[in-house]
Amino acid sequence: MVETPLHRNHDFTVLWVGQTVNLLGTRVSMFVFPLVAYALTGSALLAGLAGAAELLGTALALLPAGVVADRVDRRRVLRWAAGSGVVLYASLVVAVALDALTLAHLLVVGVLTGAAAGLFAPAENAAIPAVVPTSQLPSALSRNAARERVADLVGGPLGGALYAVGRAAPFLFDAVTFALAWVLLGRLRTDLRPTPRTSATRGSARRDLIAGFRFVWSRPLFRTLAVWGMGANLAVNAVFVAATLRLVQDGFPAWQIGLVETAAGLSGIAGAVVAPRLIACVRTGRLTVVVAWSFVPLLLPMVCWSHPAVVAAALALGVFLNPAGNAGIAAYRMSVTPPELVGRVQSVSQFLSWSTMPLAPVLAGALLAGLGGRATVAALAVLTALVALLPTLSRAVRDVPRPDAWAAQADWTGAGGRQRLPAGAQAQPRLEGAAGDRREPAGAAPGHP
C-alpha cells in the first residue's frame, strides 16, 4: 500500500499549521510580557517574573496533561487549549483598551496560557502517531522542529514590531492566532479518542501518572535518555547563557550579540530540513551518540576567543544536528510505546528534560562570577563531555536501529493480541493503567529553548 506523502496528509497538515500559528503567538507573547511588565512597574525583577510565568505554567501542567491526553479525546483537548488562549489574550486586549491592565492580570494570563501549552503538547504528541504512519514519524517530527526554530526567529522581531504599534497589538495578534488554531483543529478527521480503559483503572489519575513514570524508568533505554536529557539541557543551555553574558562583559554591541541567536536559529532550520535523510541513513543510536558529543569540540575555540563570529560559528554548528537527534529518538520512542501510554510517556519525558533548564542561567552566572569567562566555558565543556558519556556507554542507546527496523521492537500489544517485544527482551508484567516512551525527551536530545 502506497503511503500518502506528509504534505498531502490532511490531518497532519491541520495539526502542523494549527500548532505553528499557535506557537508563533506564544513566542510573541513571551517576548512582549517582560516589556509590558516593566512598563507597568519599572521593575526588572517583576519583568523577569512575567517572562517566566508562561514557562512555569507549562512545567506545572505537563504531568497532569499526559494523563488527560491518555483519557480524553485528544481533538477536544487540543481545541480546548487553543480556545482558552483566545479567551485569555482577549482579556488582555480588553484590559489595555480600558486602561485597566495590572501586573497580577498579566501574570495570571501568563501562567494559564503556559498551562494551556503544557496541556496541548502531550495531546499533540499522542495524536501524531494516529495520523502519521511509523515510517513517516521522523519526517513529521523534523517538520515540527523546523517550525519551532522559525517561531524562535520570527517571534521576537514580530513581537517588537507589534508592541511598537500599541500595547494591545501583540495580545490581539495572539488571540487571533489561537482562534485560527481552534478553527483548524476542528477540521481533524481521525478518531483521536484514546483506547478503551479497564474499569479497574478508570478514575485513578494518580495511578495513571505513576504508570507513565514506571514505563519510562523501567526501560534502560528510556531511563538513560531521561537522565542524559536532563544533564544535556542543563549543560548546553548554560553554554548559550554563558557565551552571551561573556560577550556582554567584553563590550560587544547588542546587534552583534543578536547575530549569535540568528545564526543558531538558521542552523537549526537547516538541520531540520536534512534531519529526515540523516535519520534514515544512520542508526538512531549512533546518531544520538554523535549529537551528545557534537558541542564538545566546538567549545574549545570559545575557550580561547570571545568574539561574536567565533561564538556564532560554534553554536550554529552544534545546533545543526539537534533536530535530527530530537526527531530520531522521539520518533523511536513513539513507535515503541503502547498507544494508550503515549501521552503520559511524552509528558513525563518532557517534564524531566525541562526540569533542569531553569538552573542553566544560575549555573552560567555562578561560574562566570567565580571563574571568569575562559574558565567557565572550559568547565562547561568538561560537563558536556561527562554528560555525553551517558548515552555513549549505554548499549541500550547504541543499539537503537534505523527506522526501517523500529516496527520489530514495538513494546506493545498489537492487533493480534500478542505483545511485541525487542529481540532478547523478556515480557514485562502489565502496567497498572494500561489497557493491554520527545523536545524533546525519554530525555530528548538537548536543545536550546
Side-chain angles (χ1 to χ4, degrees), residues 367-394:
L367 289 175
L368 283 170
L371 301 178
R374 181 171 297 184
T376 292
V377 177
L380 291 175
V382 172
L383 176 61
T384 305
L386 291 175
V387 170
L389 289 174
L390 291 171
T392 304
L393 299 177
S394 170

Side-chain angles (χ1 to χ4, degrees), residues 159-217:
L162 290 170
Y163 187 70
V165 173
R167 189 176 293 179
F171 303 139
L172 178 60
F173 175 82
D174 292 339
V176 170
T177 59
F178 276 94
L180 179 58
W182 184 85
V183 172
L184 287 171
L185 293 168
R187 300 184 62 201
L188 288 170
R189 300 168 180 169
T190 304
D191 184 357
L192 298 179
R193 290 174 293 181
T195 55
R197 310 297 305 276
T198 62
S199 58
T201 60
R202 187 181 299 276
S204 179
R206 178 175 175 272
R207 185 181 299 172
D208 279 0
L209 185 57
I210 292 173
F213 271 102
R214 185 180 298 155
F215 187 88
V216 170
W217 210 252

